[in-house]
PDB file of all heavy atoms in Angstrom:
ATOM      1  N   SER G 221     372.507 274.993  81.464  1.00 95.00           N
ATOM      2  CA  SER G 221     371.066 274.878  81.363  1.00 95.00           C
ATOM      3  C   SER G 221     370.420 276.256  81.239  1.00 95.00           C
ATOM      4  O   SER G 221     370.741 277.178  81.994  1.00 95.00           O
ATOM      5  CB  SER G 221     370.505 274.152  82.591  1.00 95.00           C
ATOM      6  OG  SER G 221     369.109 274.048  82.518  1.00 95.00           O
ATOM      7  N   GLY G 222     369.531 276.384  80.266  1.00 95.00           N
ATOM      8  CA  GLY G 222     368.837 277.650  80.067  1.00 95.00           C
ATOM      9  C   GLY G 222     369.566 278.644  79.193  1.00 95.00           C
ATOM     10  O   GLY G 222     369.022 279.708  78.865  1.00 95.00           O
ATOM     11  N   ASP G 223     370.788 278.329  78.791  1.00 97.00           N
ATOM     12  CA  ASP G 223     371.560 279.243  77.952  1.00 97.00           C
ATOM     13  C   ASP G 223     370.900 279.386  76.585  1.00 97.00           C
ATOM     14  O   ASP G 223     370.449 278.401  76.000  1.00 97.00           O
ATOM     15  CB  ASP G 223     372.984 278.713  77.792  1.00 97.00           C
ATOM     16  CG  ASP G 223     373.880 279.654  76.980  1.00 97.00           C
ATOM     17  OD1 ASP G 223     373.593 280.858  76.951  1.00 97.00           O
ATOM     18  OD2 ASP G 223     374.860 279.155  76.396  1.00 97.00           O
ATOM     19  N   LYS G 224     370.828 280.610  76.094  1.00 98.00           N
ATOM     20  CA  LYS G 224     370.303 280.868  74.759  1.00 98.00           C
ATOM     21  C   LYS G 224     371.414 281.226  73.783  1.00 98.00           C
ATOM     22  O   LYS G 224     371.183 281.270  72.573  1.00 98.00           O
ATOM     23  CB  LYS G 224     369.280 282.008  74.790  1.00 98.00           C
ATOM     24  CG  LYS G 224     368.179 281.845  75.823  1.00 98.00           C
ATOM     25  CD  LYS G 224     367.283 280.659  75.524  1.00 98.00           C
ATOM     26  CE  LYS G 224     366.122 280.610  76.514  1.00 98.00           C
ATOM     27  NZ  LYS G 224     365.249 279.425  76.302  1.00 98.00           N
ATOM     28  N   GLY G 225     372.609 281.509  74.282  1.00 98.00           N
ATOM     29  CA  GLY G 225     373.699 281.897  73.422  1.00 98.00           C
ATOM     30  C   GLY G 225     373.684 283.375  73.111  1.00 98.00           C
ATOM     31  O   GLY G 225     373.008 284.181  73.775  1.00 98.00           O
ATOM     32  N   SER G 226     374.418 283.756  72.077  1.00 98.00           N
ATOM     33  CA  SER G 226     374.525 285.162  71.693  1.00 98.00           C
ATOM     34  C   SER G 226     374.627 285.260  70.173  1.00 98.00           C
ATOM     35  O   SER G 226     374.985 284.305  69.487  1.00 98.00           O
ATOM     36  CB  SER G 226     375.745 285.816  72.348  1.00 98.00           C
ATOM     37  OG  SER G 226     376.931 285.132  71.978  1.00 98.00           O
ATOM     38  N   ARG G 227     374.349 286.435  69.641  1.00 98.00           N
ATOM     39  CA  ARG G 227     374.276 286.612  68.198  1.00 98.00           C
ATOM     40  C   ARG G 227     375.659 286.708  67.565  1.00 98.00           C
ATOM     41  O   ARG G 227     376.554 287.367  68.083  1.00 98.00           O
ATOM     42  CB  ARG G 227     373.483 287.879  67.871  1.00 98.00           C
ATOM     43  CG  ARG G 227     373.104 288.003  66.398  1.00 98.00           C
ATOM     44  CD  ARG G 227     372.415 289.319  66.105  1.00 98.00           C
ATOM     45  NE  ARG G 227     373.337 290.420  66.292  1.00 98.00           N
ATOM     46  CZ  ARG G 227     373.020 291.585  66.854  1.00 98.00           C
ATOM     47  NH1 ARG G 227     371.785 291.782  67.310  1.00 98.00           N
ATOM     48  NH2 ARG G 227     373.916 292.537  66.967  1.00 98.00           N
ATOM     49  N   VAL G 228     375.810 286.050  66.388  1.00 98.00           N
ATOM     50  CA  VAL G 228     377.054 286.151  65.618  1.00 98.00           C
ATOM     51  C   VAL G 228     376.823 286.706  64.220  1.00 98.00           C
ATOM     52  O   VAL G 228     377.779 287.034  63.522  1.00 98.00           O
ATOM     53  CB  VAL G 228     377.765 284.787  65.501  1.00 98.00           C
ATOM     54  CG1 VAL G 228     378.296 284.327  66.845  1.00 98.00           C
ATOM     55  CG2 VAL G 228     376.851 283.743  64.865  1.00 98.00           C
ATOM     56  N   ALA G 229     375.551 286.829  63.779  1.00 98.00           N
ATOM     57  CA  ALA G 229     375.278 287.339  62.440  1.00 98.00           C
ATOM     58  C   ALA G 229     373.891 287.946  62.379  1.00 98.00           C
ATOM     59  O   ALA G 229     372.949 287.445  63.005  1.00 98.00           O
ATOM     60  CB  ALA G 229     375.404 286.230  61.390  1.00 98.00           C
ATOM     61  N   GLN G 230     373.783 289.056  61.642  1.00 97.00           N
ATOM     62  CA  GLN G 230     372.485 289.655  61.351  1.00 97.00           C
ATOM     63  C   GLN G 230     372.545 290.260  59.946  1.00 97.00           C
ATOM     64  O   GLN G 230     373.537 290.099  59.236  1.00 97.00           O
ATOM     65  CB  GLN G 230     372.120 290.720  62.384  1.00 97.00           C
ATOM     66  CG  GLN G 230     373.081 291.890  62.440  1.00 97.00           C
ATOM     67  CD  GLN G 230     372.594 292.991  63.379  1.00 97.00           C
ATOM     68  OE1 GLN G 230     371.404 293.199  63.570  1.00 97.00           O
ATOM     69  NE2 GLN G 230     373.535 293.690  63.984  1.00 97.00           N
ATOM     70  N   ARG G 231     371.480 290.967  59.555  1.00 94.00           N
ATOM     71  CA  ARG G 231     371.435 291.556  58.218  1.00 94.00           C
ATOM     72  C   ARG G 231     371.349 293.075  58.303  1.00 94.00           C
ATOM     73  O   ARG G 231     371.251 293.658  59.380  1.00 94.00           O
ATOM     74  CB  ARG G 231     370.241 291.027  57.429  1.00 94.00           C
ATOM     75  CG  ARG G 231     370.456 289.648  56.846  1.00 94.00           C
ATOM     76  CD  ARG G 231     369.440 289.352  55.764  1.00 94.00           C
ATOM     77  NE  ARG G 231     369.576 290.225  54.612  1.00 94.00           N
ATOM     78  CZ  ARG G 231     368.831 290.136  53.524  1.00 94.00           C
ATOM     79  NH1 ARG G 231     367.869 289.231  53.457  1.00 94.00           N
ATOM     80  NH2 ARG G 231     369.011 290.951  52.509  1.00 94.00           N
ATOM     81  N   GLY G 232     371.361 293.692  57.114  1.00 90.00           N
ATOM     82  CA  GLY G 232     371.277 295.139  57.039  1.00 90.00           C
ATOM     83  C   GLY G 232     369.846 295.635  57.106  1.00 90.00           C
ATOM     84  O   GLY G 232     368.931 294.927  57.526  1.00 90.00           O
ATOM     85  N   PHE G 233     369.643 296.852  56.673  1.00 86.00           N
ATOM     86  CA  PHE G 233     368.348 297.511  56.780  1.00 86.00           C
ATOM     87  C   PHE G 233     367.573 297.442  55.471  1.00 86.00           C
ATOM     88  O   PHE G 233     368.136 297.565  54.389  1.00 86.00           O
ATOM     89  CB  PHE G 233     368.540 298.982  57.164  1.00 86.00           C
ATOM     90  CG  PHE G 233     369.022 299.173  58.573  1.00 86.00           C
ATOM     91  CD1 PHE G 233     370.378 299.197  58.851  1.00 86.00           C
ATOM     92  CD2 PHE G 233     368.121 299.329  59.617  1.00 86.00           C
ATOM     93  CE1 PHE G 233     370.827 299.382  60.146  1.00 86.00           C
ATOM     94  CE2 PHE G 233     368.563 299.508  60.920  1.00 86.00           C
ATOM     95  CZ  PHE G 233     369.922 299.532  61.182  1.00 86.00           C
ATOM     96  N   THR G 234     366.259 297.257  55.567  1.00 79.00           N
ATOM     97  CA  THR G 234     365.340 297.399  54.456  1.00 79.00           C
ATOM     98  C   THR G 234     364.178 298.254  54.944  1.00 79.00           C
ATOM     99  O   THR G 234     363.548 297.938  55.956  1.00 79.00           O
ATOM    100  CB  THR G 234     364.813 296.036  53.973  1.00 79.00           C
ATOM    101  OG1 THR G 234     365.917 295.243  53.526  1.00 79.00           O
ATOM    102  CG2 THR G 234     363.826 296.209  52.827  1.00 79.00           C
ATOM    103  N   ASN G 235     363.927 299.340  54.244  1.00 78.00           N
ATOM    104  CA  ASN G 235     362.870 300.267  54.653  1.00 78.00           C
ATOM    105  C   ASN G 235     363.039 300.740  56.087  1.00 78.00           C
ATOM    106  O   ASN G 235     362.077 300.875  56.842  1.00 78.00           O
ATOM    107  CB  ASN G 235     361.487 299.627  54.475  1.00 78.00           C
ATOM    108  CG  ASN G 235     361.147 299.370  53.024  1.00 78.00           C
ATOM    109  OD1 ASN G 235     361.777 299.925  52.123  1.00 78.00           O
ATOM    110  ND2 ASN G 235     360.162 298.527  52.780  1.00 78.00           N
ATOM    111  N   GLY G 236     364.293 300.976  56.483  1.00 82.00           N
ATOM    112  CA  GLY G 236     364.569 301.511  57.807  1.00 82.00           C
ATOM    113  C   GLY G 236     364.533 300.509  58.932  1.00 82.00           C
ATOM    114  O   GLY G 236     364.703 300.878  60.095  1.00 82.00           O
ATOM    115  N   LYS G 237     364.328 299.214  58.613  1.00 85.00           N
ATOM    116  CA  LYS G 237     364.273 298.186  59.644  1.00 85.00           C
ATOM    117  C   LYS G 237     365.332 297.125  59.372  1.00 85.00           C
ATOM    118  O   LYS G 237     365.666 296.860  58.228  1.00 85.00           O
ATOM    119  CB  LYS G 237     362.896 297.518  59.677  1.00 85.00           C
ATOM    120  CG  LYS G 237     361.746 298.455  59.999  1.00 85.00           C
ATOM    121  CD  LYS G 237     360.427 297.692  59.990  1.00 85.00           C
ATOM    122  CE  LYS G 237     359.256 298.598  60.303  1.00 85.00           C
ATOM    123  NZ  LYS G 237     357.974 297.850  60.267  1.00 85.00           N
ATOM    124  N   ILE G 238     365.843 296.525  60.448  1.00 89.00           N
ATOM    125  CA  ILE G 238     366.752 295.394  60.273  1.00 89.00           C
ATOM    126  C   ILE G 238     366.021 294.310  59.499  1.00 89.00           C
ATOM    127  O   ILE G 238     364.897 293.916  59.838  1.00 89.00           O
ATOM    128  CB  ILE G 238     367.226 294.850  61.636  1.00 89.00           C
ATOM    129  CG1 ILE G 238     368.200 295.828  62.282  1.00 89.00           C
ATOM    130  CG2 ILE G 238     367.887 293.490  61.475  1.00 89.00           C
ATOM    131  CD1 ILE G 238     369.554 295.895  61.611  1.00 89.00           C
ATOM    132  N   ASN G 239     366.632 293.812  58.450  1.00 90.00           N
ATOM    133  CA  ASN G 239     366.015 292.812  57.598  1.00 90.00           C
ATOM    134  C   ASN G 239     366.002 291.457  58.292  1.00 90.00           C
ATOM    135  O   ASN G 239     367.055 290.901  58.611  1.00 90.00           O
ATOM    136  CB  ASN G 239     366.768 292.727  56.269  1.00 90.00           C
ATOM    137  CG  ASN G 239     366.011 291.966  55.196  1.00 90.00           C
ATOM    138  OD1 ASN G 239     365.309 291.010  55.490  1.00 90.00           O
ATOM    139  ND2 ASN G 239     366.161 292.397  53.952  1.00 90.00           N
ATOM    140  N   GLY G 240     364.824 290.922  58.528  1.00 91.00           N
ATOM    141  CA  GLY G 240     364.702 289.644  59.227  1.00 91.00           C
ATOM    142  C   GLY G 240     364.801 288.433  58.333  1.00 91.00           C
ATOM    143  O   GLY G 240     364.689 287.303  58.813  1.00 91.00           O
ATOM    144  N   ASN G 241     364.999 288.637  57.026  1.00 93.00           N
ATOM    145  CA  ASN G 241     365.092 287.501  56.110  1.00 93.00           C
ATOM    146  C   ASN G 241     366.495 286.904  56.133  1.00 93.00           C
ATOM    147  O   ASN G 241     367.258 286.991  55.187  1.00 93.00           O
ATOM    148  CB  ASN G 241     364.711 287.925  54.696  1.00 93.00           C
ATOM    149  CG  ASN G 241     363.210 288.086  54.529  1.00 93.00           C
ATOM    150  OD1 ASN G 241     362.437 287.289  55.062  1.00 93.00           O
ATOM    151  ND2 ASN G 241     362.795 289.117  53.824  1.00 93.00           N
ATOM    152  N   ILE G 242     366.826 286.297  57.265  1.00 96.00           N
ATOM    153  CA  ILE G 242     368.104 285.610  57.463  1.00 96.00           C
ATOM    154  C   ILE G 242     367.827 284.376  58.316  1.00 96.00           C
ATOM    155  O   ILE G 242     367.095 284.438  59.304  1.00 96.00           O
ATOM    156  CB  ILE G 242     369.147 286.541  58.139  1.00 96.00           C
ATOM    157  CG1 ILE G 242     370.453 285.790  58.410  1.00 96.00           C
ATOM    158  CG2 ILE G 242     368.589 287.149  59.410  1.00 96.00           C
ATOM    159  CD1 ILE G 242     371.556 286.696  58.963  1.00 96.00           C
TER     160      ILE G 242
END
Side-chain angles (χ1 to χ4, degrees):
S221 179
D223 183 25
K224 309 295 185 183
S226 58
R227 192 184 66 220
V228 292
Q230 62 174 330
R231 281 197 65 178
F233 290 89
T234 299
N235 294 343
K237 299 179 180 179
I238 288 289
N239 194 325
N241 284 320
I242 177 175

